Amino acid sequence: MKIATYNVNGINGRLPVLLQWLKEAQQDIVCLQELKAPQERFPVKEINAAGYQAIWKGQKSWNGVAILAKDLEITEVQSALPGDSKDLQSRYIEAIIDQMVICCLYLPNGNPYPGPKFDYKLDWIKRLKKRTNQLIKMELPALLIGDFNIIPEPVDVYKPERWENDALYRTEVRKAYRELLNKGWLDSIRKLYPDETVYTFWDYLYKAYDRNAGIRLDHILLSPYLHSSLQSGGVDSHVRGWTKSSDHAPVWIQLEK
């Protein structure tokens, strides 16, 4: 069972890149973030033609999340993170696929720090922790998948000293990420590559990709039930180098099923 996450940074504008990668990678489950398309403009026909079923929650110009599955039934659980009925941003969608809970998330960026956007990020994380605690208590096979907009540790960023007051690297959000791990969620890529430099995002500016001046923002976390199923994983960093590609690269894992 191959499972991946990919912040596409505009699904319609980068649809050829997405379809090329889907054909190449042949993932079983894919979580997408930053669709930047309203609900009715999700390219469902093209996704279906590529062999995938899909559920999605769009938003005009910003945000947006989707879950794709090849030859697997998708049962939607919810299309918003519980805890704030006034929050209309499309950042979370949850489904059951092959008896696993798939939580696709696009956690808020939070910049500039300090400010209301950072406060919103911290509140969103609190709500996420509440939901993830429920999943742990229910002892379900679950995955938290997506663009967390959190750089967990200094090893996950090129020149970390430059990021100390950035909302992606602030002490508060890194602490929250560690608390998820302490509750039993496994950072699959860091488990597989404990000491290596692994990035998932390279800015478009300053030839960041060419210099490998990146950061690790995109994560796949496994609930305790799935720890022993982890076999392999990685980052398809070459996709970042394709023409008109997203500034993120796809991240994937292989589970024994």
Side-chain angles (χ1 to χ4, degrees), residues 171-210:
T171 301
E172 299 92 327
V173 297
R174 293 169 58 205
K175 179 175 181 285
Y177 190 87
R178 287 194 298 270
E179 288 172 349
L180 284 174
L181 304 187
N182 291 338
K183 285 289 186 178
W185 295 95
L186 178 69
D187 184 334
S188 56
I189 295 299
R190 190 47 72 197
K191 174 66 175 180
L192 293 166
Y193 304 97
D195 302 313
E196 287 88 341
T197 297
V198 180
Y199 297 143
T200 68
F201 171 95
W202 297 262
D203 200 296
Y204 291 123
L205 302 175
Y206 313 120
K207 296 185 177 180
Y209 177 69
D210 296 333

Side-chain angles (χ1 to χ4, degrees), residues 28-40:
D28 297 297
I29 299 172
V30 178
C31 291
L32 302 176
Q33 305 86 42
E34 209 169 354
L35 304 179
K36 293 182 176 179
Q39 189 75 3
E40 67 276 9

Side-chain angles (χ1 to χ4, degrees), residues 12-238:
N12 287 304
R14 305 189 200 279
L15 186 58
V17 172
L18 173 61
L19 295 176
Q20 181 181 347
W21 171 70
L22 289 174
K23 183 178 180 180
E24 173 189 282
Q26 293 295 307
Q27 307 289 352
D28 297 297
I29 299 172
V30 178
C31 291
L32 302 176
Q33 305 86 42
E34 209 169 354
L35 304 179
K36 293 182 176 179
Q39 189 75 3
E40 67 276 9
R41 290 204 59 217
F42 183 84
V44 64
K45 290 182 180 179
E46 292 86 348
I47 296 297
N48 290 164
Y52 289 86
Q53 299 300 311
I55 61 171
W56 66 95
K57 181 69 177 297
Q59 185 174 348
K60 184 178 180 180
S61 302
W62 306 103
N63 307 323
V65 285
I67 301 174
L68 317 184
K70 178 185 280 291
D71 301 322
L72 295 166
E73 182 179 351
I74 307 175
T75 302
E76 184 174 319
V77 176
Q78 52 193 343
S79 60
L81 185 65
D84 185 357
S85 59
K86 295 180 181 179
D87 184 3
L88 301 180
Q89 296 193 27
S90 300
R91 294 186 173 273
Y92 185 88
I93 192 166
E94 183 178 311
I96 296 173
I97 303 176
D98 197 26
Q99 299 182 343
M100 297 184 297
V101 182
I102 306 295
C103 308
C104 175
L105 61 96
Y106 178 41
L107 204 145
N109 179 288
N111 279 307
Y113 167 83
K117 290 185 177 180
F118 187 72
D119 296 338
Y120 170 64
K121 180 174 189 170
L122 294 182
D123 180 71
W124 206 94
I125 290 173
K126 289 180 181 177
R127 290 159 53 203
L128 177 66
K129 288 167 65 177
K130 184 175 181 180
R131 177 56 181 156
T132 59
N133 287 341
Q134 293 171 343
L135 295 171
I136 291 287
K137 289 179 180 178
M138 288 187 285
E139 299 183 348
L140 293 172
L143 299 93
L144 309 181
I145 311 176
D147 178 357
F148 281 63
N149 270 315
I150 296 175
I151 303 169
E153 300 293 342
V155 69
D156 298 309
V157 55
Y158 180 78
K159 294 189 176 181
E161 65 275 8
R162 296 182 177 180
W163 292 79
E164 291 181 357
N165 285 317
D166 192 285
L168 306 180
Y169 192 65
R170 281 291 306 170
T171 301
E172 299 92 327
V173 297
R174 293 169 58 205
K175 179 175 181 285
Y177 190 87
R178 287 194 298 270
E179 288 172 349
L180 284 174
L181 304 187
N182 291 338
K183 285 289 186 178
W185 295 95
L186 178 69
D187 184 334
S188 56
I189 295 299
R190 190 47 72 197
K191 174 66 175 180
L192 293 166
Y193 304 97
D195 302 313
E196 287 88 341
T197 297
V198 180
Y199 297 143
T200 68
F201 171 95
W202 297 262
D203 200 296
Y204 291 123
L205 302 175
Y206 313 120
K207 296 185 177 180
Y209 177 69
D210 296 333
R211 297 185 295 113
N212 198 29
I215 54 182
R216 189 168 76 99
L217 294 176
D218 307 88
H219 311 301
I220 302 177
L221 305 190
L222 307 179
S223 71
Y225 192 95
L226 292 172
H227 288 192
S228 62
S229 300
L230 180 63
Q231 291 186 316
S232 60
V235 180
D236 288 343
S237 56
H238 67 285

